Amino acid sequence: RGDSQGENRGRAGVAPRPPCRFGEGCSDKSSGHRKKYAHPGDADLKAEAKRVERQGDCRSVWAKDSAVPDPEPLTPEQIKEQATLGAQTLRPRGSISMDDATLGAVAGDAHARHCFEQMMTNEKRMCKEWAVFYHSYNTAAVLYELQAAVASVLFRFQSTYATLPRLLRGNFPMIPDARTLEKMWPTWPEKDHSPIFKSVAICATTSLLRKDPEATPTAWFLKGYAASVPDTALIQSLVASCGVEASLAGTLATKIQATFVKFNVGAKGRAGHMLQIFMKRHLVDKYVYAALPYGVPDSSRAPLGKHLNGPGPIVGQVRMVVHPSAFLRATRTRVYCYSADPEYHKRRAELQDTLTDILAPALGSDEARIRAARGIFGAELPAWYSSEDQRSVIKSMPRQRGLSKWQ
């Protein structure tokens, strides 16, 4: 199947149309839709496929950041072995349990206990192919939520289920992977408190229950691990990076800050949040390295991927490069967010909807979304990018996968 529009665009010098997300299953036969989007069989889609094949992975400017190739995925035999070993936190089997003594402050809090039980259920369900990490935070929720809202509209990020710690391209070309991060770390006097580190990486731990040298999840879940408090100027800078003029960015930042106050984001008291981060096991050593406090490399657990695939016990810190080429792709990384405040926990989806409504001047039209995506990519957009609001695609994904919810 082909059309004259596709034939013209398939010739040199004519930009290809973005592909229709429904592919062969598209039921929209209108001339407007067919003119705007390419479909299987159209000449421009064939030409683009040939171009990508010649030039390698052109999915985004981010994909070319790292010189480290993706390792081979686990074999069926290795996957079977991981299933036998079981949940990462509980290895070796029978060595630790979720009793009151282990849960500590979490044990007497019904909501917190439920969150930990759910996180453990996730570990057991996903242990075959996914390693897991835990990242505790509090005031940083302001930026994490805002970045998740932007990414949900532009890049199909599932913000209903998780926040997003990093988004802007920034220093990722300089530090695209764990190997580079580990080499750069000694050059920073502030170590993992360096602004450069904070722009590309996060600290995390490898066990939900075992004592960590710095941030044991059971000890920090309710209050969250402290960081600097994002102010309106920082929010304005993030909004401005989406291509919004400074005056409008200031207005939107003020509204966003007021929304965070309304939803009690980053407030004192039960201010803790936990990201449960699942990463495909074969990708761990590309993006994560074993660490001691302050980011000092821990050679006793290197390579980290081998340690996490072992029989346990598994415990200790890591430093993780939150590269968009991994964190915006559900085939590579999947994230759940849990909040200590039960009311806030229930209202996260409402918060995300409110944020995207406020951001309408920056994200509310095809033209605005293209401008915002260019600002975040830091370059021209790749051929696969689609300017439609990606939340509509997100809503259809669980049904397409036959799932009741994300992941």
Side-chain angles (χ1 to χ4, degrees):
R1 183 180 68 199
D3 58 23
S4 59
Q5 186 74 22
E7 292 291 342
N8 291 334
R9 289 179 177 270
R11 298 188 184 119
V14 181
R17 295 166 295 170
C20 172
R21 71 178 188 269
F22 297 109
E24 291 282 4
C26 179
S27 60
D28 190 342
K29 307 299 183 183
S30 66
S31 60
H33 176 79
R34 293 285 162 173
K35 184 177 180 179
K36 184 174 182 180
Y37 298 105
H39 295 75
D42 291 351
D44 51 341
L45 203 58
K46 291 179 180 178
E48 180 62 14
K50 290 180 180 179
R51 185 188 71 80
V52 170
E53 184 177 356
R54 289 194 305 269
Q55 297 184 5
D57 183 5
C58 297
R59 288 181 59 87
S60 76
V61 292
W62 288 314
K64 291 294 185 181
D65 282 350
S66 178
V68 178
D70 286 356
E72 289 295 316
L74 270 61
T75 65
E77 292 76 16
Q78 291 171 323
I79 292 174
K80 184 177 180 179
E81 179 185 7
Q82 292 303 311
T84 301
L85 290 172
Q88 183 172 301
T89 291
L90 302 181
R91 298 180 185 184
R93 289 181 181 272
S95 63
I96 193 169
S97 62
M98 294 185 64
D99 55 27
D100 287 358
T102 302
L103 289 173
V106 171
D109 187 290
H111 170 70
R113 186 165 194 145
H114 175 74
C115 289
F116 271 66
E117 289 170 350
Q118 183 60 56
M119 284 188 274
M120 183 54 65
T121 297
N122 294 343
E123 272 205 40
K124 293 176 180 178
R125 178 168 54 89
M126 300 179 69
C127 67
K128 293 187 293 184
E129 298 184 70
W130 304 82
V132 65
F133 307 92
Y134 294 93
H135 172 65
S136 174
Y137 61 100
N138 49 30
T139 52
V142 169
L143 282 182
Y144 288 15
E145 292 283 6
L146 181 57
Q147 290 171 160
V150 172
S152 70
V153 175
L154 298 180
F155 306 121
R156 207 176 298 179
F157 181 74
Q158 299 257 15
S159 65
T160 302
Y161 301 98
T163 58
L164 184 61
R166 305 289 183 267
L167 176 62
L168 298 181
R169 181 155 169 75
N171 291 308
F172 282 118
M174 180 173 64
I175 307 174
D177 50 53
R179 181 187 300 176
T180 309
L181 179 64
E182 195 170 351
K183 289 180 180 178
M184 292 287 291
W185 172 86
T187 69
W188 300 326
E190 311 97 325
K191 305 308 179 188
D192 61 3
H193 292 276
S194 162
I196 299 177
F197 175 91
K198 291 181 178 180
S199 71
V200 297
I202 59 173
C203 307
T205 189
T206 54
S207 174
L208 179 63
L209 301 177
R210 297 184 189 276
K211 289 186 178 181
D212 182 85
E214 196 169 0
T216 303
T218 53
W220 286 96
F221 178 70
L222 293 175
K223 56 187 175 182
Y225 202 77
S228 56
V229 180
D231 57 13
T232 303
L234 191 56
I235 296 173
Q236 180 176 345
S237 176
L238 177 59
V239 175
S241 69
C242 294
V244 178
E245 294 182 359
S247 58
L248 178 57
T251 301
L252 296 180
T254 301
K255 292 181 179 179
I256 290 169
Q257 191 76 297
T259 299
F260 285 139
V261 172
K262 174 184 175 183
F263 281 83
N264 207 32
V265 180
K268 295 181 180 180
R270 300 172 66 92
H273 307 274
M274 185 80 68
L275 287 185
Q276 185 182 37
I277 303 168
F278 289 94
M279 181 176 287
K280 278 294 180 73
R281 291 188 178 277
H282 69 285
L283 296 174
V284 166
D285 290 323
K286 181 171 182 175
Y287 296 106
V288 194
Y289 76 86
L292 300 169
Y294 301 104
V296 178
D298 183 2
S299 60
S300 70
R301 291 183 290 136
L304 180 63
K306 182 178 180 181
H307 173 71
L308 298 183
N309 289 349
I314 294 172
V315 65
Q317 293 220 331
V318 301
R319 297 299 180 267
M320 174 183 294
V321 176
V322 189
H323 200 284
S325 65
F327 274 72
L328 294 181
R329 297 173 64 183
T331 56
R332 300 163 74 84
T333 304
R334 298 185 179 182
V335 187
Y336 292 93
C337 177
Y338 295 87
S339 300
D341 183 341
E343 186 63 25
Y344 174 72
H345 190 84
K346 288 190 299 184
R347 298 183 68 194
R348 274 206 66 251
E350 181 186 350
L351 168 63
Q352 283 294 310
D353 287 340
T354 303
L355 290 175
T356 51
D357 287 344
I358 293 172
L359 289 168
L363 307 174
S365 67
D366 282 359
E367 181 182 357
R369 287 188 287 271
I370 290 173
R371 183 173 61 244
R374 282 176 175 160
I376 290 171
F377 267 88
E380 287 301 305
L381 299 177
W384 59 262
Y385 181 74
S386 175
S387 61
E388 63 186 322
D389 188 333
Q390 295 299 302
R391 290 175 296 171
S392 62
V393 182
I394 290 173
K395 290 177 181 178
S396 68
M397 287 177 67
R399 184 177 64 255
Q400 291 170 353
R401 293 183 181 188
L403 301 176
S404 59
K405 64 178 185 176
W406 169 244
Q407 303 155 350

